Amino acid sequence: MTSDITLFVNPSAGRGRGARAAQPAARVLRDAGFAVRTVLGTDASDALRRAREAVAGGTGALIAVGGDGMTSLALQAVAGTRTPLGVVAVGTGNDFARAAALPVRDPVAAARVVAGALKGDGGRAVDLGRVGTTWFGTVLASGFDSRVNDRGNRMRFPTGRLRYDVAMVAELAALRTVPYRIRLDDGPEQCVEATLVAVGNGSSYGGGMRICGQARLDDGLFDVTVVGPCSRSTLLRVFPKVYRGTHLSHPRVTTYRAAKVTLEVDPGAAPDAGSVTGYADGERLGPLPLTAETVPAAVRLLGAR
């Protein structure tokens, strides 16, 4: 493996932690004998173009420095290639790093893990989800949580995570179920009224909400969590349990495992249901219907356990 590797940096991640993390991470990697170049972008599309150029140019590894958004961009560049991915997780959520048991908000420790894997076993292969040409590492969300994202993204004030807290309160006030049609693998279509459906390659989203708490990155399957019709009070009681993953035993929650999942809205069941957006790794995919497939061993992840 070449000793030339690439740091893929989001300087604004975690209120500037990305920029602050890049320098100590680079120092650790250089001290380990690697030649490090840094890639930035003027925006997401420019950053992705530059990352893909680094991969095509034969970089020995692409190291994402930032949060889940930056890791998601990096996945688009390395998935299905021979280039391994390192993660220096210094963002707000860091769910992909948590799922892989990588250091979080400790750039020196994360860089040491990357260096050790590059000099040692080269990391391990992990699965990714794919919707069309878009790859994801954690969770595809739809329903209540994606509506919170939609509303939060439309809001100009407040800023930061508080914006999504306000959006959640607003969506609770307007709480309604979605008439889903769900197909698991090549099985029969199921018509289900649900508050939300989450398709997990990883276990958590939103900074540690273990919505698909039993999901693993290397088993070739998604964990699918379906939250049935809930009152506002029930949803508020269940919500804190999501951080521990104990919501999965609630009678309103059903779980499945599948390698392919198709989600769509049944307008015939509820003509006023409207469209439902899917988000994967926190990034907007577009309205349902969507089909997600798991791709085993889609990327080699440095330091994953």
Side-chain angles (χ1 to χ4, degrees), residues 11-27:
S12 63
R15 298 183 180 178
R17 281 193 296 267
R20 294 192 297 272
Q23 189 171 6
R27 183 167 57 248

Side-chain angles (χ1 to χ4, degrees), residues 18-139:
R20 294 192 297 272
Q23 189 171 6
R27 183 167 57 248
V28 168
L29 293 165
R30 290 188 177 108
D31 288 347
F34 295 98
V36 180
R37 65 182 292 257
T38 300
V39 167
L40 301 169
T42 57
D43 55 26
S45 61
D46 181 58
L48 178 56
R49 178 184 62 80
R50 291 170 185 264
R52 284 176 166 155
E53 287 175 352
V55 170
T59 187
L62 187 68
I63 318 300
V65 183
D68 285 321
M70 201 62 177
T71 300
S72 178
L73 271 183
L75 289 176
Q76 312 314 309
V78 300
T81 75
R82 297 170 62 89
T83 304
L85 173 69
V87 176
V88 177
V90 292
T92 302
N94 306 310
D95 288 292
F96 186 71
R98 294 177 200 276
L102 296 173
V104 171
R105 296 187 184 171
D106 188 340
V108 169
R112 285 174 177 160
V113 165
V114 168
L118 285 170
K119 288 177 173 288
D121 62 8
R124 73 178 175 96
V126 300
D127 308 336
L128 295 176
R130 185 171 61 192
V131 177
T133 60
T134 301
W135 301 86
F136 67 96
T138 57
V139 177

Side-chain angles (χ1 to χ4, degrees), residues 172-196:
L172 275 171
L175 183 65
R176 62 193 187 279
T177 59
V178 176
Y180 281 96
R181 292 175 180 169
I182 304 174
R183 188 184 298 276
L184 305 174
D185 294 322
D186 295 318
E189 188 175 79
Q190 303 179 47
C191 296
V192 177
E193 287 282 332
T195 302
L196 67 87

